[in-house]
Structures are given as C-alpha cells and as structure tokens.
Amino acid sequence: MDVQTAAVPPPRAGAAEGSEVSAEPAPSAGPGSAIELVGIAKTFASRRGTVAAVERVDLVIGEGEFFSLLGPSGCGKTTTLRMIGGFEDPTEGQILLHGKDVVGVPPNHRDVNMVFQSYALFPHMSVFENVAFGLRRKGVAKRDTESRVREMLELVQLEGKADRRPRELSGGQQQRVALARALVNRPRALLLDEPLAALDLKLRQAMQLELKRIQREVGITFVFVTHDQNEALTMSDRLVVMNAGRIEQLGSPREVYEHPRTRFVAGFIGTSNFIRRPVRSMEGDVAVLDSGTDERIVVPGARGRRRGRTPRRRHGAPGEDRADRAAALGRPLRHPGACRGGRVPRHVDAVRDAVAGRHLTDRVRAERGRRHRPR
Amino acid sequence: MSAVLDRPVQAPQRTRHPRRWRGWLLPTWSWLVIGWLCLPIFVMILFGFNNTQGKFNIKWQGFTLQWYRQLFTIPDLTNALEASLSIAVIVTVIATILGTLLGMALGRYKFRGIGSVNLLLFANIAAPEVVLGASLLSLFLTVGIPRGYWTIVIAQVMFSIAYVAVTVRARMAALDPALEEAARDLGANGVATFFRVTLPLLMPGVMAGALLTFALSIDDYIITSFNAGQTVTFPLWVYGASRNGVPPQVNVMGTLIFGFGVLLAVAGAAINRRRQA
Ligand SMILES: Nc1ncnc2c1ncn2[C@@H]1O[C@H](COP(=O)(O)OP(=O)(O)OP(=O)(O)O)[C@@H](O)[C@H]1O
Ligand SMILES: [Mg+2]
C-alpha cells in the first residue's frame, strides 16, 4: 500500500502530451476563440416553478480545439450545447460565435452544425440525400453538391452506402452518416451531443479514434458532450467538468485527472476512494498517513494549506506551484489553524485512485484531535 | 449445470400440447371472422352481376354484365353519386388540412387547453351521429343557413377532422423532434423543414386520415340526412329507393367505390413500403 506518485503513466494514451507529472498549464483558448459563453444561464419553466439547467457558465473555446463538456446526467451539458446551436435561448448571458453575439439567431443562420445523440437521420431519405440536405438548402450547385457529398462519404468510409436508407445501416454507420451530414457544410464548429452513447464498447472505442482522426483532418472546432470520463479524457484537448449547471473545473485531461480542483471532480474523474487518516509524519509536502496497519499512506501535496477559508476556485490558472494548488483545492476549510506555517495536520483527507493505486491530492483537511471521531 | 441441460429438453414438451389445438383452431377462427366480414361485400358484388327481372334484386337469376353497361341510366342516381363524390373530395381536402394541423399541434406541443381539445376530439368521435346531426341541424336553423350541398360539406368536415387529427397526432407524437431540429441546423427555414421533413414523415398518418375521411364522407347517411335539404347524396338516394327495390346499378356503383377504395389502400401501402425500403 506504500504508493508513490512519481512515474505514473498518463490517464490514457493521447490524453496529454509531455511527460511531466505536475500539471501543465491548460492550453488556453488563445487569440482565435471560436465560441465564447459569457455568463450563460438557462432556466426552464416547469410545473413546479423553474428549473435552473445552467447557471452562470463562462467558457472560451479555441479555434480548432477538441473541447469536451463532461458531467453526470442532468448537469446541463445538452442544454449548454443546444444554446450554442441555437435550439434554446439563454435566459441570461451572451454567446459569441467567432466574436459575434448570436443570441436570438435561429439555428439555420448559425455557422455551427450539430450531431444529435439520436443521430436524427431523415428516415425517408437515402444516405446521399441526408448528407446533401444542407448543401441543397444553401443552393450549392448540383455538381458541387455531388462531389462534396461523395468526398465526405469517403472521409467517413461509407462510399458504397450512398443509396441505402438510414435504417439499413448499423449504429456505427448511422453515426458516421450523421457526422458526414454535419461536416459537409464545413461549419466553423461542430457540436456533438453524446454521439457515441448508443454504441457498444468496442465500436465506441473505434469511433473515438475515428472522430479524432476526422477532427485532425478537417481541423474544425469540436464541442463534444459526454458523461463518459474515459471518452472525455482520451479525446479532448481541454475539457470542463460540469455539475448541477456549473463548471467545476476546466483544464487539460491530465490536469483534471491528476489535480482535481474539487471533491466533486475527484469523485467523478477516475475511480477513486476518499480516505481520511491521521498524519504520522510530514516530509516536505508529503504527508505520511497512518493506515491503521503496518502500511503507510503517502500523500503528496498535503502541505501548505492556508489558514481560514480557501480562496475561490480559479479556472485554468496555469503554473501554480503546489502549495498554491493545494490551497486552491477543496471547499472552504472549516477548521482554521489546521496547518498554518508548516504545522503538521492531524488528519488528512486523501483521494486514492482505485485503479492506479496512487494518491491524488484533492483536499487536505486537518482536524483537531479531539474533534476527530475515528470511523 | 444440470438445470441448464434440462431446460431445452423440457421446453418443447411444454409447447407441444397447446400447439396441437392451436394448429387448427386459430386458422379456422380467423377464416370464419374474415368470411363474416367479407360476406356483405361479396353479396353486393355478386348481385351487381345478377340478371334480375323484377324490381327487387334479392334472388339470383343468372349472370349478366348489363348493369355495368347501363350504369348511368338512372339520372337521379347518377346525380346523387356525383354529389357524393364531389362532396367527398372537398370534405377530404378540407378535413385533411385542418385535421393535420390540429394533430401536429396536439402531438408535439404543450399548450393551455390541450386537455380540453383532446377531450373534444374524443367526444366528437364517441358522440352518437344522431345527436351530432340533429344538433347541427338546429344550429343551421337558428343561424338561418339554408340546408343543401354546402351544409353537408360543413357537417362532414366537422366530424371528419377528429379522425384525421387523431391519426396525425399519434404519428406526430412518435416523431423525434430532433429530426426537425436537424433540418433547421442544416440550414432549412421553417417552410422547408415542414415540407421536406415533417410532412413526408407524417404522410402515412395524413393519408390514413384522408382515406378514412373519404370513406366516412361517401357513405355517411345519418348526419347528412339531417343537413341535406334538397340535395340527394348516394346513400340518401339508396335509402329512399330501398322501399321500392334497389336497382342493381347501386350494387355496381358500390362495387366500383369499394374497388377504388381498395386500390387506394393498396397503392398507399405500396408507396409506404417503397419509401421505407
Ligand atoms: N425542456 C426542458 N424543460 C424543463 N427542464 C429541462 C428541459 N431540458 C432540460 N431540463 C432540465 O435541465 C437540467 C439539465 O438538462 P440537460 O439535458 O442539459 O442535462 P445533461 O447534462 O445533458 O444530462 P444527460 O447526460 O442526462 O443528457 C435537467 O435537470 C433537466 O431536467
Ligand atoms: Mg444530454
């Protein structure tokens, strides 16, 4: 059980480049922002008053980025995506697509396309007609339409299926038609609402690679909604973890995985256990916890908790040092004076990755001995 | 392990017993019902070929095609058929359009009063025709509208809308709203979305409603008789003639209308199958 943090492989291949263990700065959106959400909120009127689906979301998604919205069911991912696509109007806030405020602009006048969770392929049209639908609405010349559709079907490897009806295709093929139908319009951003959720595991993994390949090939911004953390961690350049209509954390997959900013993120990402044990000793910023047996629990980043309330969460703040990061983690500390000025905390809450077996510092919470009730 | 092995051995034994009587009972029963349903139609068709001599066409007197040749020799009957057909076409067009719009609204949107509208549709279908006909007549009398061709149209549209609305409502409710959103997303405006996506997908429901309306209209007697004034439709004429004996031309016309209906239904099914294939 004596586990160290060094030299642990990244969450999944391709999740993030670089071999540094500590958090890299999240690649920020950069100057060419494709989508900006400014103080977005959405409430639905329901029979019992109003439901807040999204509360104050601020987000900047960069040009050409593969960006994921990750979160549990009902956290507002779909609602956020639908607001970008123009299917819902935000109750509050602004949506900027390439710098232009598009609130109130109908979907057919927005330069983004959507891949629906149900695919929403037109059942009365052939694959070809489905893919050609958008071009025909825009009055693209017949010959151009033909060649662009063929080209797109080639990209998604469905050349021979042009005359089929959607119902004659497998789930994965339907999914690719939906993708082709959206991409053929050359949108400036593609919105994908859990496009892989209906596929079985094997196909899903194949399609994940496929999606990545296509995104690289076309170089379009992808906004990808999923409740599958593996999917988000493997595919994204950056992601946000959402909970109850709010953003919990924004960052690169590696950042979010290794340095969950809140207890929620720590619990949601990875398979982890929370452990609270008394501190046996403190070596630098590594706490050694008493496991109750002969084993030791070693927790890095357990030092440097500031006294009093923790500062507000800071999104995407790059390059914090460990002490700062530890301070930024967690909820307001209810036990002031716990570990001030290098004092050794009595007890520490640690997040333990149940798969990799190592300890992630989520929050380090010390308690006075007297108040501590052993479990 | 033994339980796994036992099961396939036991299963056929358990099903063999019921299959023995199901083997003949179900087909026999089915054919009896089908025969029962088809008998009147068969009699109608058969007696259109009856070489009847007297006024009454109820006894088989040999095969002839003369009634087909003399189909339009009774002017009143011909006029009545014409009135019925033209009314049916007008009613079908109006009721299908209105009923489709109503059914779409009921199947997709939630709005104030949706419950009462649904109840109204149900009441319209469930209410006895005599009541509908009589109350409509008193309405026309009160307002002072002269009864005739157009009051028949109004009356029939009134009771047909509910049937169209109900079939379209079911279809609309089953339609994934994302399909229309996808159309909008791909650049279609409201009109293009309706005509290229919504309407084609609702078509089976719309066609079913239209066929039902046509059939209801062409053979409606009760409501029409209240509101017809001096206008005579095919069913009204037949009913009037039945006291003195129904001429075989009626059987022939009935056969042709029936054949036309079957043709439409078959064509509709074929189109549907092709579209889905
Ligand atoms: N049209 C609506 N009317 C009322 N409430 C809604 C509506 N759409 C969404 N909500 C509510 O808003 C919240 C967020 O919904 P949303 O569909 O965005 O969740 P989600 O993150 O996409 O979840 P899932 O992973 O299950 O798809 C939920 O509580 C939901 O009940
Ligand atoms: Mg959703």
Side-chain angles (χ1 to χ4, degrees):
Chain A
M1 209 168 180
D2 190 345
V3 202
Q4 296 287 341
T5 33
V8 172
R12 284 271 294 270
E17 273 91 58
S19 55
E20 265 193 7
V21 173
S22 71
E24 313 153 61
S28 70
S33 78
I35 299 167
E36 270 181 73
L37 306 184
V38 186
I40 285 294
K42 176 72 187 177
T43 51
F44 288 106
S46 83
R47 219 165 266 174
R48 282 162 281 105
T50 57
V51 182
V54 174
E55 304 176 50
R56 312 223 120 266
V57 164
D58 290 290
L59 208 55
V60 179
I61 300 171
E63 194 75 61
E65 214 179 354
F66 197 118
F67 192 93
S68 291
L69 304 175
L70 174 65
S73 187
C75 70
K77 308 179 296 288
T78 296
T79 307
T80 306
L81 202 69
R82 287 172 60 82
M83 287 192 286
I84 300 173
F87 301 107
E88 311 277 2
D89 273 332
T91 325
E92 259 176 68
Q94 277 185 311
I95 299 174
L96 308 180
L97 294 183
H98 304 98
K100 257 194 355 231
D101 189 357
V102 293
V103 172
V105 176
N108 44 329
H109 293 299
R110 292 194 187 193
D111 214 3
V112 296
N113 281 116
M114 182 120 158
V115 175
F116 292 82
Q117 180 168 356
S118 56
Y119 310 148
L121 298 178
F122 306 127
H124 58 301
M125 297 181 196
S126 68
V127 167
F128 183 93
E129 290 170 316
N130 263 283
V131 178
F133 189 89
L135 298 179
R136 288 181 176 161
R137 298 289 80 70
K138 291 186 189 74
V140 173
K142 206 169 172 186
R143 188 176 306 163
D144 291 350
T145 302
E146 175 95 20
S147 69
R148 276 170 72 175
V149 171
R150 300 272 166 219
E151 193 181 304
M152 198 45 69
L153 288 178
E154 211 166 292
L155 181 74
V156 297
Q157 299 169 354
L158 285 175
E159 300 95 328
K161 306 279 192 289
D163 297 324
R164 299 270 192 99
R165 299 276 163 161
R167 74 172 58 198
E168 297 167 329
L169 301 176
S170 72
Q173 291 168 335
Q174 292 181 17
Q175 205 277 329
R176 282 180 283 167
V177 176
L179 199 61
R181 187 179 67 173
L183 281 176
V184 78
N185 304 291
R186 298 180 186 151
R188 297 186 65 179
L190 189 69
L191 313 175
L192 304 104
D193 190 1
E194 308 206 21
L196 309 180
L199 307 180
D200 66 66
L201 183 65
K202 212 166 160 191
L203 192 53
R204 191 156 73 225
Q205 287 169 346
M207 282 308 299
Q208 286 171 1
L209 296 176
E210 192 82 334
L211 264 184
K212 267 310 256 194
R213 173 185 70 83
I214 289 169
Q215 198 249 348
R216 264 195 301 271
E217 234 159 272
V218 297
I220 292 176
T221 312
F222 274 35
V223 185
F224 187 87
V225 161
T226 180
H227 61 251
D228 180 339
Q229 47 148 322
N230 273 332
E231 211 161 270
L233 291 174
T234 3
M235 301 176 73
S236 323
D237 297 322
R238 291 193 309 155
L239 62 131
V240 285
V241 181
M242 292 182 66
N243 179 32
R246 292 170 181 277
I247 292 182
E248 291 275 337
Q249 186 172 2
L250 172 127
S252 70
R254 176 181 287 253
E255 264 182 326
V256 171
Y257 184 81
E258 294 194 345
H259 301 282
R261 205 171 287 277
T262 64
R263 185 177 175 119
F264 173 83
V265 176
F268 189 73
I269 301 276
T271 317
S272 44
N273 302 318
F274 288 94
I275 304 168
R276 160 180 296 188
R277 300 303 304 169
V279 175
R280 187 184 282 172
S281 67
M282 210 65 189
E283 295 157 13
D285 61 352
V286 176
V288 179
L289 309 186
D290 195 343
S291 71
T293 66
D294 292 348
E295 293 162 319
R296 295 187 317 153
I297 302 173
V298 179
V299 185
R303 187 66 170 269
R305 165 76 74 198
R306 285 192 191 137
R307 99 174 262 251
R309 297 171 70 84
T310 50
R312 247 172 281 125
R313 268 180 279 144
R314 285 170 296 168
H315 293 303
E320 307 163 285
D321 64 38
R322 280 213 172 144
D324 273 342
R325 211 167 46 242
L329 296 173
R331 295 282 173 201
L333 194 63
R334 288 260 158 67
H335 308 283
C339 57
R340 186 191 350 167
R343 252 174 72 180
V344 175
R346 294 258 166 86
H347 295 90
V348 163
D349 275 355
V351 184
R352 185 172 183 279
D353 185 324
V355 177
R358 72 204 155 104
H359 288 284
L360 309 165
T361 16
D362 161 303
R363 44 192 217 152
V364 183
R365 196 163 93 172
E367 287 193 355
R368 292 190 192 119
R370 206 184 302 156
R371 294 191 55 176
H372 170 66
R373 279 182 223 100
R375 300 183 206 165
Chain B
M1 191 63 191
S2 69
V4 176
L5 287 175
D6 284 349
R7 200 158 293 146
V9 181
Q10 279 175 354
Q13 281 179 341
R14 214 174 296 148
T15 52
R16 193 173 294 151
H17 180 67
R19 204 177 280 162
R20 207 178 293 151
W21 59 263
R22 226 186 268 157
W24 56 266
L25 190 68
L26 192 60
T28 311
W29 176 251
S30 307
W31 283 110
L32 273 176
V33 172
I34 291 170
W36 173 255
L37 290 174
C38 290
L39 194 63
I41 299 169
F42 177 71
V43 170
M44 171 190 76
I45 295 173
L46 186 69
F47 278 77
F49 296 106
N50 187 14
N51 192 8
T52 180
Q53 304 300 329
K55 274 168 95 181
F56 291 92
N57 182 16
I58 40 180
K59 222 170 105 195
W60 185 249
Q61 285 167 307
F63 181 85
T64 178
L65 282 176
Q66 65 160 312
W67 309 122
Y68 280 80
R69 261 178 267 126
Q70 301 171 8
L71 184 55
F72 298 118
T73 50
I74 308 170
D76 284 351
L77 175 58
T78 308
N79 289 341
L81 183 69
E82 272 174 19
S84 266
L85 285 175
S86 67
I87 287 173
V89 169
I90 295 171
V91 167
T92 303
V93 170
I94 298 177
T96 303
I97 292 173
L98 294 180
T100 299
L101 297 177
L102 182 57
M104 284 176 62
L106 292 171
R108 170 59 50 82
Y109 304 105
K110 293 213 168 13
F111 50 88
R112 193 180 285 270
I114 188 171
S116 355
V117 176
N118 278 321
L119 188 69
L120 199 68
L121 285 187
F122 178 74
N124 192 315
I125 291 172
E129 287 198 34
V130 184
V131 178
L132 290 181
S135 51
L136 205 56
L137 173 63
S138 61
L139 175 73
F140 287 140
L141 286 172
T142 314
V143 181
I145 299 172
R147 270 78 56 218
Y149 189 88
W150 290 105
T151 48
I152 298 177
V153 170
I154 292 171
Q156 295 193 350
V157 165
M158 179 271 296
F159 73 75
S160 305
I161 283 180
Y163 290 92
V164 182
V166 166
T167 50
V168 173
R169 181 182 63 191
R171 189 87 197 163
M172 190 73 184
L175 201 68
D176 183 359
L179 288 169
E180 285 163 297
E181 290 178 348
R184 296 305 299 269
D185 187 60
L186 294 167
N189 57 25
V191 176
T193 301
F194 177 75
F195 283 107
R196 300 199 178 266
V197 174
T198 319
L199 191 58
L201 292 173
L202 290 179
M203 220 41 182
V206 174
M207 287 311 294
L211 282 177
L212 204 56
T213 301
F214 192 86
L216 286 170
S217 163
I218 210 150
D219 82 340
D220 180 70
Y221 178 80
I222 301 174
I223 295 180
T224 306
S225 69
F226 277 101
N227 301 289
Q230 296 306 308
T231 308
V232 179
T233 63
F234 182 65
L236 295 187
W237 192 91
V238 173
Y239 183 77
S242 63
R243 263 161 283 169
N244 315 320
V246 178
Q249 279 94 335
V250 169
N251 291 57
V252 175
M253 286 176 178
T255 304
L256 294 178
I257 292 172
F258 171 72
F260 180 65
V262 169
L263 213 68
L264 276 185
V266 169
I271 289 172
N272 257 342
R273 186 169 304 170
R274 244 228 332 261
R275 180 177 295 155
Q276 279 159 17

